[in-house]
Amino acid sequence: SRTQQNSEGGAHPRRRRPPRRNSHRRMDPHDGEPAADELPPPPPLPPNVVPIIAEDAAAASESEPPPPPPPSKPAKPRRHIMARPPNGLGKKGQPIQLLANHYKVSVKPSEEFFNHYYVNLKYEDDTPVDSKGIGRKVLDKLQHTYHSELADKDFAYDGEKSLFTIGALPQINNEFIVVLEDIGSGKTAAGSPGGNNGSPGGGDQKRVRRPYQAKTFKVELNFAATIPMAAIGHAIRGQESEHSLEALRVLDIILRQHSAKQGCLLVRQSFFHNNPSSFVDLGGGVMGCRGFHSSFRGTQSGLSLNIDVSTTMIVKPGPVIDFLLANQKVDHPDKIDWQKAKRALKNLRIKTTPANSEFKIVGLSERNCNEQMFPLRRRNGDTTETVEITVYDYFVKNRGIELRYSGNLPCINAGRPKRPTYFPVELCTLVPLQRYTKALSTMQRTSLVEKSRQKPHERMSTLNDALKRSNYDADPMLKACGIQIAQNFTQIEGRVLPAPKLKAGNGEEFFARNGRWNIARKKLIRTSSVKRWSVVNFSARCDLRGLVQDLKRVATGMGLEYEDPHTVIEESPSLRRAPVARRVEEMFAQIKAKLPGAPLFLLCLLPERKNCEVYGPWKKKCLADFGIVTQCLAPQRVNDQYLSNLLLKINAKLGGLNTLLQIEAARAIPIVGKVPTIILGMDVSHGQPGQSDRPSIAAVVSSREWPLISKYRATVHTQSPKQEMMASLFKPRGTEDDGLIRESLIDFYTSSGKRKPDQVIIFRYQIVKLLVFANSSKFL
């Protein structure tokens, strides 16, 4: 990520990471955290079993002795990309020419090697440098200072512990001394107003004579491994070698370094420019920043550069006081909650006026600006005297800076815990491109989705402009690798498949048209009974009696058995502006008081069509705490079509079946329809930004009631945060297993006439950054 300066020109502390191994680490598309790309180890063999080597089995005869046992250290299992069968391309559908957001990459053959070096950064006193972001500045200075000692080689640095060169450096182990002059860091000299006495930062005569602070670093570059550049060609041809993924990783590191040198904010493999036209205001002092993801990918047609639009959240740059007013949604500084402000501002970077120095916020002063005292040392002839002065008086009287409103507000502390450095709030401005990592509100998330939406031709134009601005062809490392990137999207051939035929409950068959189907005047395949249900209304304005009667009328036409609701529970008008948690609890108190027992179904009316704050807590209370099926609606525009769609959801939630595929009903689905087959879909979802400590959710959806594939069940388990590998598929407990797979298999067995599946099909959901555009006057 982008360099974050503190008052010493370094970076704020962070936990040290161990050295990266040479094994490839793939980036997870959901949260961007690395996940291991290696297969789990095989189970141990029994002591009396001698494995047979597969390659020798066909040639072995009965008279030949058994092969020798394997070596004590088995070789690492090798994986290969499964080749498409010779006639494996589909033939159905209407051919169409498409454009994909991939740019074809040509690579010149090379016998060179990437040399991998482990980077060890230390301060002058041999203490390790674990500050985030400073590594790039040190290595840039190293390359500039020692270019001849480095044999004039360019290198690719990942910002942490790994550095790559093309060809070897002159020495296996290299040691350098780098002096980093951090101009305008804001660090003050001893005896100055920002010295050891906890005073505010500012300029004095000593500061003028000493305009910068130098920091000395020791840099060790120790050889780790070599990666043949020919491995890139192996990846292109689908011949996955030991080094192919590592070579592509080096190319991705070159892309990151290229963006870092352009001053971009880096978030894993995405980069974000400081371009106001790419910012969208989400409210609360938060902005969405549109950037780009870029990475090299091996495809069937060769190597390509994949570029896609990416979005991250940043703090709105500008005066600190403006951010706090927007963040807390107040209209005057006197209304700011400074405890909340302290949490919101911590670790953000500011620039101060008039010195234009950059600092990192560590906290706030305990007292207001006109009360916070500090000892100021002054020269009086040949002696030095110390006087107590407030921060306010120092800036107004000693510095001659007018303060309009900061006197009665806390100061920004940008120093150290034992050595604070204070600035009045109005002299502090948040610098651009600072990530906002806290959780977004419902309104902010919705606003981000709506404002980030682009039409296909807009996205195509945006991606092409991004490639031109990035100017990858000018990067010396990519040039040295012999890489050239095409300037146009890759054209591929696709097929528009015919829409499947659907079967309704009255035996009628119909087609979906333009991706939609109309269920009006059709019966459902299997209907549920809506019994023991009630209506709850969170202050929505509508004709409740008319809504219930229309819902029952449409339900009867679709074949549903729909009883009248037991009661309608209205929210008290006095609660409409109460906290959400209280509104939900009060509604459940009414449900318990007015209903004879737990309802089987609740129809919930919400006052807002979008972003209703009641929705999340209400769903959690009903489903997680009580297991009550619910359906929410915002009744602004209710007609028969709206009610039909609503009833499709209700019927499915209560165990019904709306429609079938015609070939499903006729048991004509290839492979699946003839032999008992279970279909599993798996995915892991992670916490949103600002919720990285929340458990990840592993989910498995499995088909049931074979030969149907339209009936399914879902099971979820929690697991460690940010873990993409599913940990709950198998959970042995003695001779039992509590895993998700066993639950799915048992359900399939009991719902499919006691048949065990002969075939298992698994869909493991992953996001593939591939956008496809129709190559015609219209876009899909």
Side-chain angles (χ1 to χ4, degrees), residues 485-501:
I485 302 172
Q487 298 299 306
N488 300 314
F489 281 121
T490 300
Q491 182 168 301
I492 57 178
E493 184 175 304
R495 290 173 295 115
V496 180
L497 298 177
K501 185 182 291 186

Side-chain angles (χ1 to χ4, degrees), residues 532 591 595-599:
R532 286 173 53 190
I591 291 173
L595 299 184

Side-chain angles (χ1 to χ4, degrees), residues 96-102 306-308 455-457 459-460 463 489-495 768-775 778-780:
I96 184 174
Q97 294 300 313
L98 303 169
L99 297 176
N101 60 323
H102 281 244
N306 173 223
I307 300 183
D308 192 13
K455 294 181 179 179
H457 66 276
R459 179 166 288 195
M460 288 180 66
L463 297 179
F489 281 121
T490 300
Q491 182 168 301
I492 57 178
E493 184 175 304
R495 290 173 295 115
V768 180
K769 287 187 175 293
L770 172 64
L771 302 176
V772 179
F773 308 97
N775 189 8
K778 295 184 179 180
F779 296 96
L780 292 180

